[in-house]
Amino acid sequence: MPIYLYNTLSRTKEVFKPIKKNKVGFYACGPTVYDFAHIGNLRTYIFEDILRRVLTYNDYKVNHAMNITDVGHLVGDGDDGEDKLEIGAKREGKNPMAIATFYTDKFWQDADKLNILRPNKILPATRAIKEQIEIIKILIAKGYAYKKTLAIYFNVAKFQNYGKLSGQKLDDKTTQARETVYVDAEKETRQDFALWFFLTGRYKNHILHWPSPWGEGFPGWHIECSAISRQLLGQPFDIHCGGVDHIGTHHANEIAQSEAAFNIPLARYWLHGEFVLIDGERMGKSLGNFVTLAKVSEKFNPLSFRYLTLTAHYRSQLNLTWESLEAAQSALNNLYQKMRDLTEEANQFWPLIKLSCVFGLSNQKTAVALKTAVQYAEKFRGFINDDLNTPEALSLIWKIMDDATLPAAAKKELLLKFDKVFGLDLNKIKPDYLPRRVKKLAQEREIARQQKQWDKADQLRAQIIKEGWLVEDTPRGPKLMKNIK
Ligand code: AMP
Ligand code: ZN
């Protein structure tokens, strides 16, 4: 079954075709580690995690790479304002690298709580300075970059189709630039962006700096992703992700740098996650309206937030309220309870059904149940492969729960399979302990019954009772219960 992904570049849903058979090179822009991530940021990483899991579910081997932004990300997208890491350093009276280490750890702690799988390859920007300089050298040699007093800039007017990702014309970008944006009068075009800042002017006292062929300084934010993605995945690679705020500037700049330097596309599919809003406004650190996972965890299981994000499509905005978190928590608790009930009810009779098939004892009901289970699994794959339609995939869980034609153990097996994508820890819901010898007795009894050896079946039932368990034959198969006296 094909996977359809909405590609921002073509503005359509496309069938996903990897560059290398069965393998996917997947790059996601990493966090800027100067403060705690907010749950808006974390929604984007959950979306990327779901995408990775969907690819894995479809038997692709995913090479998931990510940068960590620990230098060069300025407050404004237009080369304006301070480096965020230096802001963090001043705020806490520490060195920027200590800030980066601390908040990188915090980020992974949050990611772990949300069952976000770690990328296979992670590289901080400060550990790829040489690679960034190499690309800047090429851009200068090819006439795409020029040196001024404050910085080396990329000349956007020289790059054909700079606005291809956003669909924005260069002129429109000018008119939309904010008044507060600092514009270096030496820039050839207002939208030109910095590749390398020098230790001069505003950045005279920038703490982090490195030598370069053009003078001591530090890289701009965008060049790190061009260099790191190329180093970790090669170029082109298959999928590039980030939040929607990256489309107009950061990703446009990554494309311009990488494609101008190497004359080949950077990535084939560009996917963007929508914002978490709070009171109808984008959640953002600078707006001061952000909520951290630690805050959510004071009241809720962190996975409630993961559940909540699954109820909305990644390309829709998600307006966060405490009520929506409460509803998600109660749905998740309900799901866990149902899972517990299923586990108790199942009594391993799904394996029994399979067993009866092996013994040639398959009956019509078994065949119907097997067919239904396969249909549900196909439906599920259809939803997730349709540009990650998690809301529909999630509602399928509840339909399965209510389906009386399906044995409990079959439901459980389906749910555990689906949870490889959802990542809601359904596999950690513990069953009531059923001793192996009792299970074995019940299996032998069921075989005896199916072979109409009634005396043997009765003897086995007596043995089960002796062990402290009751067996009840229900229309959906035998059910084992603890004999509570
Ligand atoms: P940053 O740490 O600022 O570099 O951002 C990390 C990721 O979070 C990026 O992919 C952003 O696009 C994304 N992001 C930022 N704000 C939000 C938001 N309110 N909702 C969802 N994602 C966001
Ligand atoms: Zn990036």
Side-chain angles (χ1 to χ4, degrees):
M1 191 184 289
I3 302 178
Y4 294 89
L5 298 175
Y6 183 87
N7 190 350
T8 309
L9 201 53
S10 63
R11 281 166 269 282
T12 51
K13 259 191 219 175
E14 292 179 37
V15 174
F16 174 67
K17 289 195 192 111
I19 297 167
K20 286 190 198 137
K21 198 166 177 267
N22 302 332
K23 289 193 176 149
V24 183
F26 172 35
Y27 185 82
C29 294
T32 309
V33 284
Y34 74 114
D35 205 338
F36 293 103
H38 58 64
I39 58 173
N41 303 133
L42 293 168
R43 181 195 186 194
T44 294
Y45 295 105
I46 294 173
F47 138 61
E48 291 158 352
D49 179 62
I50 295 287
L51 173 58
R52 169 182 168 168
R53 286 167 180 261
V54 166
L55 291 163
T56 310
Y57 192 89
N58 282 274
D59 299 325
Y60 285 107
K61 195 169 177 321
V62 184
N63 198 0
H64 182 185
M66 186 188 267
N67 66 310
I68 297 284
T69 299
D70 54 358
V71 69
H73 192 171
L74 307 184
V75 170
D77 271 357
D79 293 337
D80 56 319
E82 252 188 288
D83 182 326
K84 294 185 180 185
L85 264 295
E86 306 244 330
I87 293 177
K90 275 189 201 150
R91 184 186 64 224
E92 299 182 25
K94 289 183 189 158
N95 181 289
M97 289 324 289
I99 293 290
T101 308
F102 180 81
Y103 288 108
T104 302
D105 283 353
K106 291 291 168 204
F107 174 77
W108 292 122
Q109 283 169 19
D110 282 352
D112 288 348
K113 285 186 193 140
L114 290 167
N115 284 346
I116 293 170
L117 302 171
R118 297 218 184 171
N120 327 54
K121 292 174 178 166
I122 301 163
L123 194 58
T126 52
R127 297 219 346 246
I129 299 295
K130 192 170 84 29
E131 290 75 8
Q132 296 176 68
I133 290 176
E134 284 310 310
I135 299 182
I136 300 171
K137 273 192 203 164
I138 297 172
L139 291 172
I140 293 176
K142 289 178 103 175
Y144 282 105
Y146 57 91
K147 182 172 181 273
K148 292 290 176 190
T149 319
L150 297 179
I152 292 177
Y153 291 110
F154 185 95
N155 186 345
V156 291
K158 250 210 114 187
F159 182 73
Q160 279 238 317
N161 217 351
Y162 173 72
K164 66 179 169 185
L165 191 64
S166 64
Q168 217 181 15
K169 291 203 183 80
L170 206 52
D171 292 348
D172 295 344
K173 217 178 166 212
T174 313
T175 52
Q176 282 174 17
R178 285 162 293 135
E179 286 304 308
T180 52
V181 169
Y182 174 88
V183 181
D184 178 357
E186 285 191 329
K187 274 189 186 181
E188 286 178 12
T189 312
R190 188 189 166 97
Q191 301 87 345
D192 289 353
F193 58 90
L195 298 166
W196 187 265
F197 291 102
F198 296 116
L199 289 192
T200 182
R202 294 176 292 161
Y203 303 120
K204 202 166 67 190
N205 300 317
H206 203 271
I207 302 167
L208 293 177
H209 51 88
W210 295 263
S212 82
W214 320 281
E216 197 78 10
F218 64 98
W221 172 35
H222 319 293
I223 193 70
E224 73 184 74
C225 285
S226 284
I228 292 174
S229 62
R230 185 176 169 84
Q231 191 187 340
L232 301 183
L233 298 174
Q235 184 182 335
F237 54 90
D238 295 292
I239 303 179
H240 195 312
C241 284
V244 282
D245 53 325
H246 285 349
I247 299 172
T249 301
H250 180 54
H251 287 172
N253 294 355
E254 280 186 38
I255 290 174
Q257 295 162 157
S258 298
E259 300 192 358
F262 302 105
N263 295 329
I264 43 171
L266 174 57
R268 307 212 350 200
Y269 300 84
W270 289 80
L271 272 71
H272 294 96
E274 256 296 351
F275 285 145
V276 168
L277 309 181
I278 198 146
D279 296 327
E281 231 193 318
R282 171 190 170 181
M283 182 178 290
K285 277 170 215 157
S286 48
L287 295 159
N289 61 354
F290 66 92
V291 178
T292 59
L293 191 66
K295 183 85 192 151
V296 169
S297 309
E298 284 172 12
K299 246 182 119 181
F300 303 102
N301 175 345
L303 290 180
S304 304
F305 176 63
R306 186 172 173 108
Y307 185 98
L308 179 64
T309 66
L310 297 175
T311 64
H313 191 263
Y314 76 90
R315 284 192 289 118
S316 322
Q317 296 183 329
L318 178 68
N319 198 23
L320 184 93
T321 60
W322 291 107
E323 290 75 28
S324 61
L325 273 171
E326 253 156 43
Q329 167 102 331
S330 99
L332 186 63
N333 282 341
N334 203 351
L335 184 59
Y336 286 166
Q337 188 51 48
K338 292 253 183 197
M339 202 62 196
R340 235 169 261 126
D341 293 347
L342 281 183
T343 309
E344 271 168 28
E345 201 188 326
N347 291 331
Q348 280 73 33
F349 285 111
W350 181 244
L352 251 197
I353 288 175
K354 284 187 183 160
L355 193 74
S356 33
C357 290
V358 173
F359 277 76
L361 303 170
S362 155
N363 58 30
Q364 214 189 343
K365 263 190 201 154
T366 313
V368 169
L370 274 170
K371 204 172 147 203
T372 313
V374 169
Q375 281 167 348
Y376 276 125
E378 275 175 7
K379 259 196 177 159
F380 177 78
R381 194 187 290 271
F383 288 140
I384 56 167
N385 283 12
D386 179 16
D387 194 32
L388 320 183
N389 193 342
T390 53
E392 289 286 2
L394 203 57
S395 63
L396 193 66
I397 280 196
W398 299 101
K399 280 195 196 116
I400 291 173
M401 292 286 194
D402 292 340
D403 187 335
T405 68
L406 212 54
K411 292 182 182 177
K412 193 181 149 199
E413 204 167 294
L414 281 173
L415 263 52
L416 289 178
K417 191 174 154 75
F418 298 172
D419 202 42
K420 294 212 159 51
V421 172
F422 293 136
L424 292 170
D425 274 354
L426 296 187
N427 58 338
K428 292 192 183 153
I429 306 298
K430 286 282 163 263
D432 257 6
Y433 178 67
L434 173 67
R436 205 188 280 180
R437 59 180 179 283
V438 178
K439 186 176 148 192
K440 195 159 169 282
L441 288 170
Q443 285 175 339
E444 285 171 13
R445 177 178 170 270
E446 185 57 12
I447 292 166
R449 268 168 47 80
Q450 294 201 22
Q451 292 175 338
K452 302 198 187 331
Q453 299 174 3
W454 308 118
D455 286 351
K456 187 174 176 192
D458 284 347
Q459 279 166 20
L460 285 161
R461 177 200 284 271
Q463 270 180 272
I464 291 169
I465 294 171
K466 245 193 197 165
E467 294 285 348
W469 288 74
L470 295 176
V471 60
E472 185 192 328
D473 295 310
T474 75
R476 284 156 61 199
K479 190 172 170 188
L480 281 166
M481 288 158 292
K482 263 222 139 125
N483 190 7
I484 302 160
K485 289 186 192 139

